[in-house]
Each structure stands twice: as C-alpha cells, then as structure tokens.
Amino acid sequence: MTEIRVGLIGTGYMGKAHAVALNSVAAIFDTKLRPVCETVCATTLEGAQAKAWTFGFKRATADWRDVVTDPDIDAVVIASPQSTHLDIALAAFEHGKAVFCEKPLGEDLAASRKMVAAAEAAALPNMTGFNYIRTPASQFAYSLLQAGRIGRVHYLRAEHTEDFLSDPNAPSHWRTQDRSTGCMGDLAPHIINAALRLCGPIASVCADIRTVFAERPGPNGPEAVNNDDEAHFMCRFKGGAMGHLFISRVATGRKMGYAYEIYGDKGAIRFDQEDQNALWLYLAEGPEAERGFRKILTGPDHPDYLPFCQGPGHGTGYQDQIIIEMRDFLTAIETGKPVWPTFRDGLEVQQVTEAVWRSSESGAWAEV
Amino acid sequence: MTEIRVGLIGTGYMGKAHAVALNSVAAIFDTKLRPVCETVCATTLEGAQAKAWTFGFKRATADWRDVVTDPDIDAVVIASPQSTHLDIALAAFEHGKAVFCEKPLGEDLAASRKMVAAAEAAALPNMTGFNYIRTPASQFAYSLLQAGRIGRVHYLRAEHTEDFLSDPNAPSHWRTQDRSTGCMGDLAPHIINAALRLCGPIASVCADIRTVFAERPGPNGPEAVNNDDEAHFMCRFKGGAMGHLFISRVATGRKMGYAYEIYGDKGAIRFDQEDQNALWLYLAEGPEAERGFRKILTGPDHPDYLPFCQGPGHGTGYQDQIIIEMRDFLTAIETGKPVWPTFRDGLEVQQVTEAVWRSSESGAWAEV
Amino acid sequence: MTEIRVGLIGTGYMGKAHAVALNSVAAIFDTKLRPVCETVCATTLEGAQAKAWTFGFKRATADWRDVVTDPDIDAVVIASPQSTHLDIALAAFEHGKAVFCEKPLGEDLAASRKMVAAAEAAALPNMTGFNYIRTPASQFAYSLLQAGRIGRVHYLRAEHTEDFLSDPNAPSHWRTQDRSTGCMGDLAPHIINAALRLCGPIASVCADIRTVFAERPGPNGPEAVNNDDEAHFMCRFKGGAMGHLFISRVATGRKMGYAYEIYGDKGAIRFDQEDQNALWLYLAEGPEAERGFRKILTGPDHPDYLPFCQGPGHGTGYQDQIIIEMRDFLTAIETGKPVWPTFRDGLEVQQVTEAVWRSSESGAWAEV
Amino acid sequence: MTEIRVGLIGTGYMGKAHAVALNSVAAIFDTKLRPVCETVCATTLEGAQAKAWTFGFKRATADWRDVVTDPDIDAVVIASPQSTHLDIALAAFEHGKAVFCEKPLGEDLAASRKMVAAAEAAALPNMTGFNYIRTPASQFAYSLLQAGRIGRVHYLRAEHTEDFLSDPNAPSHWRTQDRSTGCMGDLAPHIINAALRLCGPIASVCADIRTVFAERPGPNGPEAVNNDDEAHFMCRFKGGAMGHLFISRVATGRKMGYAYEIYGDKGAIRFDQEDQNALWLYLAEGPEAERGFRKILTGPDHPDYLPFCQGPGHGTGYQDQIIIEMRDFLTAIETGKPVWPTFRDGLEVQQVTEAVWRSSESGAWAEV
C-alpha cells in the first residue's frame, strides 16, 4: 500500500466534491493507493487556507504553479474554471504529474487537442471528469449493452435538461455570456459522453440551437443573453443507430434530466438521473403476458455499488459518483494503463459538440 | 330529441369500435341526437349480416354504395381501408350525408385535398378520426395550454412508439409493404395531429426515416420490407417553439407510446397514453421547495370525463375515446358548425407528413 | 344466437353504466346471447321515459314490479338503492328471472342470506356486481396466483381509499348517515372481495374503525356524522397468509386507491386501480442483477382485453369493467352454471364485513 | 475551529460508513468542529491495523477499553454488535466521552434503560443512529408536518420491508437465530422511529408476528428459524391518528421498502426510500382539476441537501445519511444541547417494540 500525494486546484463546487472523494475513496474502495491531501489552491491565499482546514489539506496556495511544480506532489486534480485547464494541465504533465481534469477539457477544440497531445506525449495518467456516467445504474446499462442483452441497438433518445434558467426573469449572469457556459458548452458534454459510451461513435449530426430568452434583467436594465438556452440534434451512429439528444437549461420542471432510452431488437433500457438508483430494462423474452419494463434497483450485483452499501435499494448519490471517479484515477495511476474516460475521450465529446455547432449554423447535416 | 340514421362502412377493428360508440353515445352523453344503426357494410354480405347482429344494425350490405346512396341514412362512418376513403367520401357528400372518416384521410395528399374540397363544397358535417387526442387528459392539456397555464411554449418532445414489429423475425405482412402502412403513414398522423393541436402550426421539418429491418421472413424465404420502421424529425413551430417527434413500430417495450412533454416558461406538461388517465403538470409557482411534477388523475373536473364515471381516478379507456368522437360528430351534425378535427385538419396532418418525407429524402430542412 | 330480454331497475350512476353495457356487450364480445333492452325503471315515470330514450329501452316504468313480473323479460339488473335489493331479487326469482344485483347484496347479513337462499332455491342465474376485480390486470393477477407464479403467498396489503369526504368542511350528506354508506359499508366490500378472490377465505380479523370528522356542516349548523370515515383491519387467511386492509373515504389525494400488493415466496404482485392498465410483477428468477418489478401493460395476452382493443397499452376503463360483468352474466344465463361472483360470493364478503365490525367493537380478533 | 478526537469501535458495515463520515463531514458541512480519526477498534489487532490504514486512523486496537479510557479521545462511535453496546457506552460515559451508538440501543429494554440513565447522569452528548430518517426528503416531510402543511394527520401507513430472506432456500444464518436480529429486532426500529418522529407518540398497538419459513437449510440438514420473518401492527397515536406498520425481511421484490404515507385533512405525503430523493406531496388547495400528488425532487431548498450538491435532483445516497448524522453529533458536542435522536429517543423506539411483542403474544391491544 502506497500513498499518493495529491494537489487540488479549485475549491468551488467541484473542488469540494473532489476533496471529499480524496478523503473517502480509500475507506470506500479499500484502494491500494491511498491519496494524501497535500496542497489546495484557491484564488486567494486566505480562501485556500480556510479550505485546507475543512478539506483536510496540509498546505494552501493561491498560485496553481506551486502545485504543479511541487516535487512532493504526485497527482493533480483540476477543478478550476475551464479557461485555466490548458495551462495547468500542460505544466503538470511537464513536471510529471498524473492529471485529472474536470470536463469539458479545454476552452475550445484547439486547447483540448493540445491537452491530449501533451498527455499522450508524457505518457502520464490522465482522465476527464464525466461523473454522471459513473452511477452503478449507468455502468450496468453499459454492461448490458456490451453483453448484447438488448440486441442490436437502433435508436437512442437522450437529454440533459435542467431548469435553472427557465424563469425569463432570472437575472443576467456569468452563465449567460459565453459559449462555454451555454447549454451546449456546459450541459451537452455530459450527455454526449453518455451517448458515445453507450452507443459508440457518432458519424454525423443535424442540429438546431436556440437562445429562448434573448434578454434577461441586469442591474441597469435588460441585458442580452449571449449564449444558448436550448438545443437539440439528430445523429447517426457509426454502428447504424439513429439518435436524438435534447439539451436545455430552461426545461421547466426538470432538475437533473440526464436521461436516455435505448431501443434494441431484443430489449430496451431507460434511465433518468432524477432517480439514479434505478435502471429500467425491458427484455423481449419469456411469455408475452409477463413482459414489461422492470425497475431494477441498484444493489451489490451492480458495478461499484457494494463498496457504498451492502443492501440493494439503499442508494448512492451525487457525491458517490465523484468517489468512483477518484477510484478510477487511482487505478490509472496504479496500473499505468489508460482508464476511460481519458483526455482523448474528453476530446471526442468536444468534436461532437463542434459538429453540432456547425450543423446548426449551416442548417444541414455535419460530419463529426 | 331526434334520431340520426347512420351507416357504417367497415367492420374491422375500427368499424367495431364505432359500432360500440354508436350504441353507447346517447346513454353516455345524453346527446340531443340519438344515432340509429341502419346499415353496416362489410366485404362480404355474409360477414355484414353477422356483424349486423352483433353490432345491432338493421340492414347489411357488401357494397358501400348502398350506404351512401340510401335516402334513409343521414350520416356515414368510414372505417374501411385507406384506399377506399376518397371514393366513399365523395359519393357520400354527393348524396348529402354527414361523413366521419378514419385517419389518415386520403391515400395521398391529392386524395385528401379532393376530400376536403368536396366536404367544403358540400358544406356538410365532416370529421377525421384522431381518437387519442380525445382522452380527458389530452383535452385537459389542451385547455391548460390555451389558458397559458404553462406560459409561452418553447419545446415539445413527442413520440408515437409501439413495438408490434420489433422482433426481426416477425414475418413479412401487409403492414410491411406500402408507404401508407409504414410508421410514417400509419402511426405518425396521430402524434403530428397532437403536436398541431397542442402547439400550433409547424413551419418546417428536418427528418430521418429508416427501415430498421430490411428483410423479414416470408413463406418462401426472406422478403424485402418496403416501408419504414422508424422515423424522427425536428420541427420549428410557427409560434416559435422547437420540437422533436419520434415514431416507431419497432420500439421494443413500448406498447402505446403516444406521449408528449411540453415546456413553457411557467410550467410543463407530460403525458403518456400508456397511462392515459394521468396528466403530469409542473407549475413554476408557490414555494420552490414544494414544486414538482404532479400526477393529476382525470376526473369529473376534466373534459368529457364525468359522463363516463362520477368518481375521479376510475378511468376511461380506448373505446371511450371513440365514444367521445361520436359525440363530437353528433354535435357537428346538430349545430351545423365545424367541429375539430375536420377533414381540413386531417389534411394539415398529411401536409406535415409529406414535408417529413421530402426532408428525409433531401437531407435538409423542408417547409410544410 | 338468441336474444335475452333485460329489465333494468335504477337509472343512477350504476344504472347508466349497465345500460351502456347492455348496448355494447354483444358488439364487444360477440356473445351468443344478445341483450335486448326491454324496460327501464326509475323513481318517476317521467324520469324512466327520458332514460328509455337515451338508454335505448323500449318501455319505461316507475314500479319495479312491472319489471320483475313481465313475462317478456328474461333477466333483471338491479342497480337501485341497497335497501330495495332484497324485495326486488326475491320477486324476480319468484318469476323465474336471472338476476344481476349490484354490491353489496342486501342491506344487512340477514337480507343477503335470504337473497342467497332464494337464488339457490330457484336455481336461477345470479351474480353480484363487483366490477373492479374485472379489469384485465386484476384478472391476470388472479391467474398468476392460481398458477403459483409467485409461489406460496404470505402477505397481502390492500386498500380501498378515496378522498371524496377528506375535506372537513364537506357538508353533511346522505352518505354520512347510515352504516351502509360508510366506508365499511360502501367501499370495503370491493377490496374485501378482491382479497377473497386473490388470497382465499379469511379466518379472522382484528379491526379499528373510526369517524374522523365527527361533525359536518349542515344547512342549520353542524350535524353529527353517523357512520365511519376510515377503517383498517389485520386478517389471517385460512391458507396461512397475513393481511391488512385499509379503507377510507378521507384519504386526501387518493381518488381510486383500490390497490393491493401480494408477497409470495417466488414473487410479488402490485396493483393500483388509479393505473388500472398496469400490473406490477416481480419474479425471483433470472440473474439477481436483472430483477425488478416489471410494469406489465395489459394487452391482448391478458384476460378480456382483446375484445376491447387489438393493441396492448391502449387501455380499458371503468365502463369496460361493467361490460365484462355483463358478458359474465350472459355466460351464466347461457350455460346455466354459476359464474363468479354469485350471490353467495357477495354474501361471503358481507360476512367478513360483519366480523370487522364485531372486532372493532370488542377490540379483539373476531372469527369470520 | 476545534478538532474533536474520535475513536471508532467496530469496522464492519456500519463502522466503515462512520469512518467515511468522519473523514468527510467537515468538508461537506464546513463544521466548526473537525473530527480527527484517532483510534479504530476491531476484533483483531491485525484487522484494526488494516482498517486504520484505509479508514485513515492513527492508532488501532482490538480492545474497546483502549478507546473509551484514552484521555486523547473526546468522542466514541459505537458500531459494534448490539450485545456490546451497554458495556461500551457505560464505560465511555464514565470516562467523559460523547457517545454515538448505532441502533438499536441496548440488547433489551433493561440495557437501554441503563444506557439512557448513564447518558443523562453524565450529561454528556449522546445520540442513537437512525440514519434513514436523515434524508433531505424525510427531513422535509417532518418540516411539512410540523408546519401543518397537510393539516391534522389521521392516518399513517408505513413499512420497512426488504427481501434478503425471501427465498425459502436461503440458508440458516446468524440472522435467523436471535430475537434481536429478527425483523422486529433489526428492521422495525427504523420505521417505528420514523412513525414517532413524523406522527408523535404511540399510545397502543395491536400486532401479529410471524416466522414465515420455520426451517432453513443448514450444513447438516434443516435448521429451525428462531426469530420472526414478518410482522405487522395497527397502532393508535396519542394525537388521535391511526396507523399501520408492516415489517418484513421476506417481502419478495422489496429492497429498501422504508416507506410511509401520511394522510391529513389538508394534504398527504408519501415517501419510499427506494427513491430516496423524492417526496410526494398532495395539497388540497388550488383548482380541483390541477390537484395531484407532486413528485418533489430534493434540492437546495430542502434540509441538508445543499452541502452535498448545488443542483436539485442530483441526489444524495445512503452514505450521505451517515454524514448528516455525524454533523448532528458534532453539533451536539459543540452546543452541549441534546440533538434528536438521543439515547432516550432510541429507548422510546424500543418501548414500542416491546409493546408489539406483548400484543402479538396476547392477541390483544397493548399499551406502550
């Protein structure tokens, strides 16, 4: 058993989640590598010091370079704003660190490509943070699909829908300014990642993207909204299936509509993150009169559930997904082998996103 | 109170449903007009006579002309194959009958246009049979939308999915031969009708249509499937909303997936015909902590429920939709005013269908 | 094919439902016997005449004796108030009629016993109207249990809950006066009937019965409520299972909570009339990871569904249950053999009800 | 900010959960007190040392006395078998420690009474571990009830059902031997605790307890099962409501059926732990046509949710309940004031359990 010394960059929402994961993962998974919380980096030194106490880190800094250059640090977790990902990751690889980076990888496709190139040139452990696909239910969906349990897949309908901006009177906000924080930039990567994971590569897309509320109240009157509220696109998978993805931050009533339904010629699967401990499975087998979608509650027989709880139906939650990610990152470090989703997998998601943008602008199908 | 003498053409699945409706509608709705079952027409005289007994008709015939020309008949219900609709309807109007015609109206757009022209020239009561939209739940959805209860609508996601051909080994069949019995011809009209009713006219569509199983077993080996199994299209409503419709006869596990979800800026609505006695409504009002999709069970406070049952939650079913249609047809006759959906409304559905075909063939957006 | 001439006594809620059933059953089920609507009886002649028109009856009367003594009537449907059941049924049997009587059979146990004795002495077709158990879903539940599909049953939890008096300010009413219209008198028979049908005879019960709202507003101030709002009881089935039944007319939010869940050693069944077209089935077979309650939508493979609709998931409703009852009554007449539930089956329900009252009064277990 | 030094006794299922909670609680809740993991105690020293590594403790021991007597330890978490609770707790209080003890408190009522007496004599922080009631959803249910949101409560139906022994061929096991590990001893305390929390004190109970499978396969042939598989009881709350609780470890298909439904005169609440991130609420307000049970997804507006995740619907899980418990324990230590559920609250649960046993044995109602 070995200690692995970790630096954490970013102490916001995702930074906190990773701090908890670092402190819990060894107890939960009985991992061979035990993370030790070395340095935490926030935007101010004071803030970093406060977080060092609650997050359980030894040192604090306001300069991410202190983290990536520290010889006493083995691995870096990047949970800072997207615009910082590229520089931090490149420096970290330069200093031989394993890197876990939150999604989306880089600010644009060019940045992401540089990050992948650096990761692969350095041959260092690297992962992108797509947490939702790590639930025991979605992992089980993946294993059912791999095993051919629902046969040849011919249709996927999926969505990532929330409603945090569904009120037209919700004020103008940093989230309403940049393409990277629009629904395509911020929410779509999660469900595109799911589509790729579950149904394989996408060949082409045909999209429609919309700013539903063109203006929002600002401190001095209405301000323009400069990014997208709602988007959807049809796609054709290389494997032959058709698909449709719907992404929205204005889908009134939807809180965490990360959901998919997949139709194969022997069965079907349905999942909705709003009830993340259930997977619905239909199998076209047995007497017709007894067929129906079954609500399978996750339990010890499903991937990565048992370490959290010995009883089925007791349930895992959001934070647990981050702990599973951390276990995977430790595995990547321990084995020296790529663990899905690597930086390259993160890049592939962005390539789909780019094609969606191109299609929406041209009004025609676009190749990925 | 007046009797209205009805002839029924067709004694299959839909003919039977209309026979029951003719016999029940007065008792259920206490209508002013009471239908009297005069003549039933089947493909053979023997068959027609047998049905006359069980359906409670006075006369039987194997020639639909006997029905449309009979001076003792006031109204005709057309429930025969689609290819016969045009001739029957034209003759019926010529002889001054009110006409109820099952969807889709004509075999193609040209036929439907002739039917509409004849109906409007004759100024006789005419209706198209789109039964699913008549449930108390969908009628209530319509009234909520009309009242602005969920605000300005910006997105519709809908489907008409069944799985009666989801098994690749299901044999070749008359349903697998003609465009009119493919998923776009047979299933799509229902859900397009719903989309138009609930969200208004569609400006343009972008579609992808697919034969998932190119061959099916025939008596002498594999036979080609000549129509579509699965289709989907994005659309833009004239009112500004975006939409997506998914249609399939191979959606394993879906039995009657006539379903829609509609997002407005004050709320959202969800409906699934598989649980036709419930409407899900989310309202962005009241304390945030108490908000959620509410499952409203249809009852006496919803349209056309009370005549079937005085207690809420006791439920209506498929046959009851046909009875509601018949009441509407009687109302059209009684008042002499058009009752939705007229032949023209049926034509509008087909115009969307045509645009979907054009789009799928061109790979680009098509105007309706 | 033979006509069976029917007289209907009662034109309220249930009378109307039976009128529709009489007019529809032959078309729906293609029955050998075809009911002909002869005479309808209401409390006034004028009312009866009006209903004769809408219900499609030939004759009208305000005296039920006209119906039961008419030699041109073969069968009588009793849908009048409970207090009239005994006299009508006895007279009808005396004149050789087949009798269908709404539940509960007689006003009290003594009345019901006389009705059973008369029915059995006359050896005439007789049935009690327990409609809810006739849904395709509940019939399928019964067949699964009979086939041992969920193994040995050890627990039943059931309820009949509605909320039509849940508002404490709902006014005093004829329903709040007599024991027969309290929750035990009016609602409990349905779910006791279900319990007996599904799990067999009940040996003993232990009950608690309550008037939740002791007074309700009357026209001249508060009036006492003289019957029960809410009741529940534990029971022991002769077959060894334990059970609990909950009955309420004040169960806020419950519209038609006729629901049960049954646990066996190989599976479990759940049903709720509020979604009457679904049966939930859990089977303890196959891989543990794939087990879950499956939502089976009723369809052509389930009892008595296909005559209503060829497609699964399209759904039957309240009125259809009455049509199924009528088919059963015709079968009883046609075959001359008892069809469940006979008058005797109705009596057995009342025997349980009586034991529940005794137990609640004594505070101890009571034998049925 | 102060460190609080903690000793953990027990490294099984619950011990692990508490270890994770100790490591996470400060980061999650930004608590004033920060737990420091001092000593972990297992049955063997080797085992304790292994766990010290993965759980992040400084010291290990196989003797719980080392923990309770250690002057460098401020608080003790007891997660060892029930039979050890009494001795450990008494010794811990003697040495001035705050004590968190897993439910059920003592092996029997006498033991629990001693534990309560010791806790209250020492005037030291003490809590019992009833984790399920700590979900944001159940806490929100509690706050709705406290606020009178559903009015006066008149009925509770609740259950704690699992199916880990539903297979009659599941082998004989330590869980099938002692009263304390039967369904009344092991499962019932959770749901009794919920009933007391949500609806107040119970006055009397009437119960039926059953060993469904009298024998189970042992290594040398069938062995007797010496405790209960299934139990249910009616109760009367002091506040006037009636209730029914159903407890089972053989409820085939139920994985974590910790569920309740509560009826008041202004609304109703439903909850099922199998979907722990949702609370169903019905409010008898607003237009009748818009009423229905609403599925409220837990989010930042509900108790103790936000620290885990900023987005609603993202969900908490089993482990998170333990973290919430730990926060409460820290609050009790920090403030010096009792935090529910104290040892006394744990005792009250056991008093109900005892009355249930008495009632089942006597066949009559028993006072608590």
mmCIF file of all heavy atoms in Angstrom, chain B residues 11 18 53 64 74 106 110 136 159 161 168 217 221 250 257 260 271 317 324 348 351:
data_model
loop_
_atom_site.group_PDB
_atom_site.id
_atom_site.type_symbol
_atom_site.label_atom_id
_atom_site.label_comp_id
_atom_site.label_asym_id
_atom_site.label_seq_id
_atom_site.Cartn_x
_atom_site.Cartn_y
_atom_site.Cartn_z
ATOM 1 N N THR B 11 -65.953 -3.205 -40.930
ATOM 2 C CA THR B 11 -66.330 -3.934 -39.711
ATOM 3 C C THR B 11 -65.114 -4.539 -39.035
ATOM 4 O O THR B 11 -65.213 -5.480 -38.254
ATOM 5 C CB THR B 11 -67.326 -5.062 -40.042
ATOM 6 O OG1 THR B 11 -66.721 -5.909 -41.035
ATOM 7 C CG2 THR B 11 -68.629 -4.509 -40.559
ATOM 8 N N HIS B 18 -66.485 1.836 -33.694
ATOM 9 C CA HIS B 18 -67.520 2.822 -34.000
ATOM 10 C C HIS B 18 -68.916 2.252 -33.762
ATOM 11 O O HIS B 18 -69.830 2.978 -33.370
ATOM 12 C CB HIS B 18 -67.361 3.320 -35.442
ATOM 13 C CG HIS B 18 -66.223 4.260 -35.592
ATOM 14 N ND1 HIS B 18 -66.214 5.510 -35.021
ATOM 15 C CD2 HIS B 18 -65.024 4.140 -36.213
ATOM 16 C CE1 HIS B 18 -65.079 6.125 -35.300
ATOM 17 N NE2 HIS B 18 -64.324 5.308 -36.018
ATOM 18 N N TRP B 53 -75.950 -8.353 -36.699
ATOM 19 C CA TRP B 53 -76.498 -8.930 -35.464
ATOM 20 C C TRP B 53 -75.720 -8.455 -34.225
ATOM 21 O O TRP B 53 -76.288 -7.903 -33.290
ATOM 22 C CB TRP B 53 -76.468 -10.463 -35.564
ATOM 23 C CG TRP B 53 -76.708 -11.159 -34.260
ATOM 24 C CD1 TRP B 53 -75.768 -11.692 -33.427
ATOM 25 C CD2 TRP B 53 -77.973 -11.384 -33.618
ATOM 26 N NE1 TRP B 53 -76.359 -12.235 -32.331
ATOM 27 C CE2 TRP B 53 -77.718 -12.058 -32.411
ATOM 28 C CE3 TRP B 53 -79.301 -11.073 -33.955
ATOM 29 C CZ2 TRP B 53 -78.730 -12.439 -31.517
ATOM 30 C CZ3 TRP B 53 -80.317 -11.451 -33.069
ATOM 31 C CH2 TRP B 53 -80.032 -12.122 -31.866
ATOM 32 N N TRP B 64 -70.590 -0.577 -50.503
ATOM 33 C CA TRP B 64 -70.690 0.698 -49.779
ATOM 34 C C TRP B 64 -71.607 1.705 -50.471
ATOM 35 O O TRP B 64 -72.119 2.626 -49.848
ATOM 36 C CB TRP B 64 -69.311 1.300 -49.505
ATOM 37 C CG TRP B 64 -68.433 1.592 -50.697
ATOM 38 C CD1 TRP B 64 -67.422 0.830 -51.168
ATOM 39 C CD2 TRP B 64 -68.504 2.735 -51.568
ATOM 40 N NE1 TRP B 64 -66.836 1.410 -52.256
ATOM 41 C CE2 TRP B 64 -67.472 2.586 -52.530
ATOM 42 C CE3 TRP B 64 -69.319 3.872 -51.636
ATOM 43 C CZ2 TRP B 64 -67.239 3.524 -53.540
ATOM 44 C CZ3 TRP B 64 -69.097 4.811 -52.647
ATOM 45 C CH2 TRP B 64 -68.071 4.620 -53.579
ATOM 46 N N ASP B 74 -78.575 9.263 -42.756
ATOM 47 C CA ASP B 74 -78.192 10.670 -42.609
ATOM 48 C C ASP B 74 -76.679 10.871 -42.546
ATOM 49 O O ASP B 74 -76.170 11.926 -42.909
ATOM 50 C CB ASP B 74 -78.788 11.246 -41.319
ATOM 51 C CG ASP B 74 -80.298 11.056 -41.241
ATOM 52 O OD1 ASP B 74 -80.984 11.422 -42.218
ATOM 53 O OD2 ASP B 74 -80.776 10.517 -40.220
ATOM 54 N N GLY B 106 -56.959 10.649 -46.920
ATOM 55 C CA GLY B 106 -56.866 10.007 -48.226
ATOM 56 C C GLY B 106 -55.558 9.242 -48.354
ATOM 57 O O GLY B 106 -54.663 9.360 -47.514
ATOM 58 N N ALA B 110 -53.054 14.288 -52.652
ATOM 59 C CA ALA B 110 -54.022 14.660 -53.692
ATOM 60 C C ALA B 110 -55.417 14.160 -53.310
ATOM 61 O O ALA B 110 -56.407 14.903 -53.419
ATOM 62 C CB ALA B 110 -53.592 14.077 -55.032
ATOM 63 N N PRO B 136 -59.710 12.558 -21.829
ATOM 64 C CA PRO B 136 -59.842 13.692 -20.909
ATOM 65 C C PRO B 136 -58.490 14.330 -20.568
ATOM 66 O O PRO B 136 -58.382 15.558 -20.484
ATOM 67 C CB PRO B 136 -60.506 13.046 -19.687
ATOM 68 C CG PRO B 136 -61.364 11.958 -20.285
ATOM 69 C CD PRO B 136 -60.525 11.405 -21.416
ATOM 70 N N GLU B 159 -43.735 11.510 -29.215
ATOM 71 C CA GLU B 159 -43.456 10.237 -29.865
ATOM 72 C C GLU B 159 -44.750 9.484 -30.091
ATOM 73 O O GLU B 159 -45.737 9.693 -29.383
ATOM 74 C CB GLU B 159 -42.535 9.369 -28.991
ATOM 75 C CG GLU B 159 -43.147 9.002 -27.657
ATOM 76 C CD GLU B 159 -42.218 8.177 -26.767
ATOM 77 O OE1 GLU B 159 -41.868 7.059 -27.143
ATOM 78 O OE2 GLU B 159 -41.878 8.681 -25.679
ATOM 79 N N THR B 161 -44.842 5.557 -30.397
ATOM 80 C CA THR B 161 -43.984 4.377 -30.466
ATOM 81 C C THR B 161 -44.759 3.143 -30.033
ATOM 82 O O THR B 161 -45.453 3.143 -29.030
ATOM 83 C CB THR B 161 -42.758 4.551 -29.551
ATOM 84 O OG1 THR B 161 -43.206 5.048 -28.288
ATOM 85 C CG2 THR B 161 -41.772 5.524 -30.138
ATOM 86 N N PRO B 168 -37.171 -8.921 -35.120
ATOM 87 C CA PRO B 168 -36.696 -9.039 -36.510
ATOM 88 C C PRO B 168 -37.266 -10.273 -37.210
ATOM 89 O O PRO B 168 -37.317 -10.318 -38.435
ATOM 90 C CB PRO B 168 -35.176 -9.171 -36.369
ATOM 91 C CG PRO B 168 -34.848 -8.837 -34.964
ATOM 92 C CD PRO B 168 -36.087 -8.942 -34.144
ATOM 93 N N PRO B 217 -38.965 -12.627 -42.642
ATOM 94 C CA PRO B 217 -39.262 -13.961 -43.163
ATOM 95 C C PRO B 217 -40.613 -13.990 -43.887
ATOM 96 O O PRO B 217 -41.606 -13.465 -43.375
ATOM 97 C CB PRO B 217 -39.330 -14.841 -41.905
ATOM 98 C CG PRO B 217 -38.706 -14.050 -40.814
ATOM 99 C CD PRO B 217 -38.823 -12.611 -41.188
ATOM 100 N N GLY B 221 -39.054 -17.783 -47.837
ATOM 101 C CA GLY B 221 -37.755 -17.167 -47.615
ATOM 102 C C GLY B 221 -37.903 -15.685 -47.359
ATOM 103 O O GLY B 221 -39.012 -15.136 -47.345
ATOM 104 N N VAL B 250 -41.000 -0.335 -33.974
ATOM 105 C CA VAL B 250 -40.009 -1.320 -33.528
ATOM 106 C C VAL B 250 -39.383 -0.887 -32.202
ATOM 107 O O VAL B 250 -38.272 -1.302 -31.868
ATOM 108 C CB VAL B 250 -38.916 -1.530 -34.608
ATOM 109 C CG1 VAL B 250 -39.525 -2.126 -35.869
ATOM 110 C CG2 VAL B 250 -38.201 -0.225 -34.936
ATOM 111 N N GLY B 257 -46.880 4.128 -26.937
ATOM 112 C CA GLY B 257 -46.080 5.290 -26.560
ATOM 113 C C GLY B 257 -46.502 6.538 -27.315
ATOM 114 O O GLY B 257 -45.681 7.155 -27.987
ATOM 115 N N TYR B 260 -46.088 12.891 -24.972
ATOM 116 C CA TYR B 260 -45.504 14.204 -25.256
ATOM 117 C C TYR B 260 -45.114 14.893 -23.965
ATOM 118 O O TYR B 260 -45.646 14.601 -22.895
ATOM 119 C CB TYR B 260 -46.478 15.090 -26.052
ATOM 120 C CG TYR B 260 -47.880 15.188 -25.486
ATOM 121 C CD1 TYR B 260 -48.185 16.056 -24.441
ATOM 122 C CD2 TYR B 260 -48.911 14.408 -25.992
ATOM 123 C CE1 TYR B 260 -49.475 16.145 -23.930
ATOM 124 C CE2 TYR B 260 -50.202 14.488 -25.480
ATOM 125 C CZ TYR B 260 -50.479 15.356 -24.457
ATOM 126 O OH TYR B 260 -51.745 15.446 -23.942
ATOM 127 N N PHE B 271 -47.364 13.729 -20.802
ATOM 128 C CA PHE B 271 -48.443 12.774 -20.965
ATOM 129 C C PHE B 271 -47.917 11.533 -21.664
ATOM 130 O O PHE B 271 -47.048 11.627 -22.538
ATOM 131 C CB PHE B 271 -49.579 13.388 -21.801
ATOM 132 C CG PHE B 271 -50.672 12.410 -22.112
ATOM 133 C CD1 PHE B 271 -51.587 12.046 -21.127
ATOM 134 C CD2 PHE B 271 -50.776 11.809 -23.362
ATOM 135 C CE1 PHE B 271 -52.590 11.120 -21.406
ATOM 136 C CE2 PHE B 271 -51.776 10.881 -23.639
ATOM 137 C CZ PHE B 271 -52.689 10.543 -22.653
ATOM 138 N N GLY B 317 -61.012 4.468 -21.119
ATOM 139 C CA GLY B 317 -60.115 3.640 -21.921
ATOM 140 C C GLY B 317 -60.238 3.933 -23.401
ATOM 141 O O GLY B 317 -60.877 4.911 -23.811
ATOM 142 N N ILE B 324 -66.367 9.516 -27.447
ATOM 143 C CA ILE B 324 -66.227 10.978 -27.424
ATOM 144 C C ILE B 324 -66.225 11.539 -28.854
ATOM 145 O O ILE B 324 -66.890 12.536 -29.146
ATOM 146 C CB ILE B 324 -64.943 11.391 -26.661
ATOM 147 C CG1 ILE B 324 -65.077 11.010 -25.172
ATOM 148 C CG2 ILE B 324 -64.669 12.886 -26.814
ATOM 149 C CD1 ILE B 324 -63.804 11.166 -24.356
ATOM 150 N N GLU B 348 -54.145 18.859 -42.948
ATOM 151 C CA GLU B 348 -52.958 19.547 -42.424
ATOM 152 C C GLU B 348 -51.949 18.564 -41.834
ATOM 153 O O GLU B 348 -50.742 18.768 -41.922
ATOM 154 C CB GLU B 348 -53.382 20.607 -41.400
ATOM 155 C CG GLU B 348 -53.869 21.859 -42.121
ATOM 156 C CD GLU B 348 -54.507 22.894 -41.206
ATOM 157 O OE1 GLU B 348 -54.326 22.792 -39.980
ATOM 158 O OE2 GLU B 348 -55.183 23.800 -41.740
ATOM 159 N N GLN B 351 -50.045 17.171 -44.680
ATOM 160 C CA GLN B 351 -49.067 18.104 -45.246
ATOM 161 C C GLN B 351 -47.755 18.060 -44.465
ATOM 162 O O GLN B 351 -46.668 18.154 -45.040
ATOM 163 C CB GLN B 351 -49.654 19.520 -45.273
ATOM 164 C CG GLN B 351 -50.721 19.646 -46.369
ATOM 165 C CD GLN B 351 -51.546 20.901 -46.274
ATOM 166 O OE1 GLN B 351 -51.768 21.424 -45.183
ATOM 167 N NE2 GLN B 351 -52.031 21.383 -47.415
#
